[in-house]
Each structure stands twice: as C-alpha cells, then as structure tokens.
Amino acid sequence: MAFTVIWYGREGVIDQVTFDAEKTAKDHAIAMFQTRRGDDGVVCVEVRKDNGAVVFSHAEN
C-alpha cells in the first residue's frame, strides 16, 4: 500500500511524495516540516493512504 505525503501552502498543494510504508511517510513529514515551512511556506502536511484516508496531519499557526 502506498502512502502519500501532501504538503500544503496558503494557496493549496505545494508538493506530493509517495512512500511504501506509513511509518516512513510520517517520519518524513515530521522531520521535514520545519524546513519546508521556512523554505517553501508550508502551513500543513498530511499523510494519506491509497484510498484517500488521512492517517496523519500536522499544522502550525
């Protein structure tokens, strides 16, 4: 099963990256959030299953 990390900015989706494992996708989202926030203006990140269900999300004001 694939898991997609979706990076959101104020205008919508900035980027998407696909991983084979949920843990790997979640770890990537957590590790990269602050960097992507500063570099790309990310405001939220989600990890979704193939069926579209959100398994993890993170946002900061």
Side-chain angles (χ1 to χ4, degrees):
M1 178 181 295
F3 293 87
T4 304
V5 176
I6 306 171
W7 300 97
Y8 295 94
R10 296 211 181 274
E11 301 295 318
V13 175
I14 293 175
D15 192 18
Q16 296 183 25
V17 184
T18 303
F19 293 88
D20 292 332
E22 180 178 351
K23 181 175 178 4
T24 306
K26 182 179 174 184
D27 289 349
H28 174 76
I30 292 168
M32 294 300 297
F33 186 84
Q34 291 302 325
T35 300
R36 298 285 313 250
R37 182 177 177 200
D39 293 350
D40 303 326
V42 164
V43 295
C44 177
V45 63
E46 291 180 338
V47 177
R48 292 181 178 251
K49 291 183 185 181
D50 281 342
N51 66 5
V54 176
V55 295
F56 173 79
S57 68
H58 179 74
E60 289 187 12
N61 293 334

